[in-house]
Amino acid sequence: MPATAPALRAHDSLLLVVDMQEKLLPAICETEALRGRVARLAQAARLMSVPVWATEHWPGKIGATHPDLRAHIDRVVSKTHFDACREAGFLAGWPTGRTRVLLTGTEAHICVLQTGLGLAQAGFQPVLVADGTGSRRMSDWSAACERWRHHGLEIVTSEMAIYEWLETPAHPAFRDVLALVK
């Protein structure tokens, strides 16, 4: 696994929103708060030129990405595998130099975890946004975080990511991003 840089940088990051779909979200613990945090992170990412991709697991059955999030997504990839890396077209067209992949979405212990492990195996540096992931049960979410740590992968919060991407209050997007955080 490649060594990670000490801080996140906007120029080498990509935000991945995993399966935040209309029919799945009502079953997720604290879904409204989760959706709000992921939406703010996606908006901040776009203000700082961080690409925002999403996956949709069996969209014909589970529905599309929630409309509150869809407006902030640059590319959506449909999938049938829990690990998005197993989909033939997932890594096609990956933006050059975007090696640090911040994962948000559902469910933390299934598709988010398996996609993170797949990205690590493919040579990327996956970063779990802990407050940007959810599961139906908190015990599953906790187990996902433990497994993530077991594999030596990085865990951050959405605000940690936002402020690391900003680097300084002198960043041109600082005021707009600060308005999102507050």
Side-chain angles (χ1 to χ4, degrees), residues 107-109 135-145:
E107 286 193 57
H109 64 294
S135 293
R136 288 169 283 138
R137 291 178 295 277
M138 287 305 296
S139 59
D140 288 326
W141 177 88
S142 296
C145 290

Side-chain angles (χ1 to χ4, degrees), residues 89-101:
F90 179 67
L91 294 176
W94 196 270
T96 304
R98 302 291 177 161
T99 55
R100 297 201 68 194
V101 185

Side-chain angles (χ1 to χ4, degrees), residues 37-116:
R37 284 188 297 271
V38 172
R40 281 189 296 282
L41 182 58
Q43 290 172 65
R46 292 185 88 196
L47 286 168
M48 293 180 274
S49 301
V50 173
V52 181
W53 284 22
T55 62
E56 293 176 346
H57 191 79
W58 289 97
K61 295 181 180 182
I62 304 176
T65 299
H66 193 282
D68 290 354
L69 300 170
R70 184 60 185 101
H72 312 296
I73 307 293
D74 300 312
R75 180 181 177 201
V76 176
V77 178
S78 294
K79 64 183 186 66
T80 58
H81 293 90
F82 299 124
D83 173 3
C85 295
R86 296 192 59 203
E87 299 297 328
F90 179 67
L91 294 176
W94 196 270
T96 304
R98 302 291 177 161
T99 55
R100 297 201 68 194
V101 185
L102 284 77
L103 287 93
T104 63
T106 62
E107 286 193 57
H109 64 294
I110 304 170
C111 294
V112 176
L113 177 65
Q114 289 186 38
T115 298

